[in-house]
Amino acid sequence: MTTLDVLRAHPFLAGLPEPWLPRLAGYARPVVWHPGHRLFRAGQPAQRCWLVRDGQVALDFAVPGRGDVEIEVIGPGGVLGWSWLFPPYRWQFGAVAVRRSTAVEFNAAGLRRLMESDDALGRQLTTRLMSVVVDRLHAARGRLMELYGYPTPESTAG
């Protein structure tokens, strides 16, 4: 499969006008990660994003005294990375490959230029990425409640 074929098949890009896909492919390349490969840590510059094709990547964040705490696992059809879209372009979470994974990697600066040059494409990608942001925030909130929420009387009754 070519990079363009992968873009055509990825759920994140479903329904985009066909002429936009080759333009996106111009900023994309295939990548492979092996288990344990750290893609990025929170606070580092966000210069790329990915459409996951296969495998699993865990999003995490560092908790003092607890180490890296997993928030969510991104699998096939998922999107990894949105921090590149908003200044100061720094990762909000970390990411590490859980299983061998394949993805299409985008150059963030190129994508930003493309989105700025085409308002319709920019709106469409921003709307889709904001959906990812909302999903990540919900996942982070749920994970924080699991880790730090107080048990309710019903959950402690035995």
Side-chain angles (χ1 to χ4, degrees):
M1 274 185 112
T2 68
T3 300
L4 186 56
D5 292 332
V6 174
L7 297 183
R8 284 185 178 119
H10 200 279
F12 180 75
L13 300 176
L16 281 185
E18 176 63 27
W20 289 354
L21 297 177
R23 295 171 64 200
L24 289 169
Y27 298 100
R29 70 184 185 103
V31 293
V32 177
W33 306 304
H34 297 283
H37 174 76
R38 167 82 41 197
L39 283 77
F40 53 85
R41 288 197 179 277
Q44 291 179 328
Q47 300 169 335
R48 295 177 297 280
C49 67
W50 302 268
L51 299 180
V52 178
R53 183 170 174 217
D54 190 38
Q56 292 183 327
V57 177
L59 291 178
D60 60 19
F61 63 95
V63 175
R66 296 189 77 158
D68 293 328
V69 175
E70 184 178 294
I71 301 171
E72 184 179 6
V73 175
I74 310 302
V79 177
L80 183 59
W82 52 263
S83 299
W84 62 272
L85 188 56
F86 306 103
Y89 311 121
R90 299 246 174 228
W91 294 118
Q92 300 300 308
F93 301 114
V96 63
V98 176
R99 295 176 41 198
R100 183 184 184 277
S101 303
T102 60
V104 172
E105 177 180 274
F106 290 94
N107 172 287
L111 277 184
R112 284 192 302 267
R113 282 192 305 273
L114 181 60
M115 291 168 68
E116 289 167 5
S117 72
D118 185 326
D119 287 339
L121 174 59
R123 259 190 320 279
Q124 194 55 231
L125 290 179
T126 300
T127 298
R128 291 168 188 237
L129 284 164
M130 287 309 297
S131 178
V132 172
V133 171
V134 169
D135 289 345
R136 295 289 146 70
L137 290 174
H138 283 291
R141 180 180 179 270
R143 186 66 175 130
L144 286 170
M145 292 302 291
E146 288 174 17
L147 292 171
Y148 300 109
Y150 293 103
T152 62
E154 296 84 32
S155 67
T156 58

